[in-house]
């Protein structure tokens, strides 16, 4: 379901954030900051937008199912 997929994506995003924070505690140099700026932050932004869209679609599907029953 959309709700399950959203929850899985949210969990994966939290794991990515946690793991990246763990890595940058030991690895803080221009290369790590560039990776964060060019890759990690854009991924997180895109994923957060996708999660919001999935939640909205899920609500619309639930409403449509309710209206049709």
């Amino acid at each position: 379901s959309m709700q399950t997929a959203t929850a899985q994506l949210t969990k994966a995003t939290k794991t990515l954030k946690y793991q990246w924070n763990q890595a940058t505690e030991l690895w803080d140099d221009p290369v790590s900051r560039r990776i964060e700026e060019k890759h990690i932050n854009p991924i997180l932004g895109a994923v957060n937008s996708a999660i919001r869209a999935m939640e909205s679609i899920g609500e619309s599907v639930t409403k449509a199912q309710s209206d049709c029953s």
Side-chain angles (χ1 to χ4, degrees), residues 1-60:
S1 76
M2 185 66 69
Q3 200 170 27
T4 300
T6 302
Q8 290 172 336
L9 187 55
T10 299
K11 182 179 177 184
T13 303
K14 287 179 182 179
T15 300
L16 172 61
K17 288 180 189 177
Y18 175 78
Q19 294 294 331
W20 181 250
N21 288 335
Q22 292 291 106
T24 57
E25 284 183 16
L26 301 173
W27 180 39
D28 184 20
D29 66 5
V31 174
S32 70
R33 288 188 289 278
R34 189 169 58 245
I35 289 170
E36 184 167 10
E37 179 185 318
K38 293 195 174 268
H39 301 287
I40 302 296
N41 290 339
I43 287 169
L44 293 175
V47 168
N48 286 332
S49 293
I51 289 169
R52 285 191 304 275
M54 291 168 72
E55 289 171 342
S56 178
I57 291 168
E59 290 169 6
S60 296

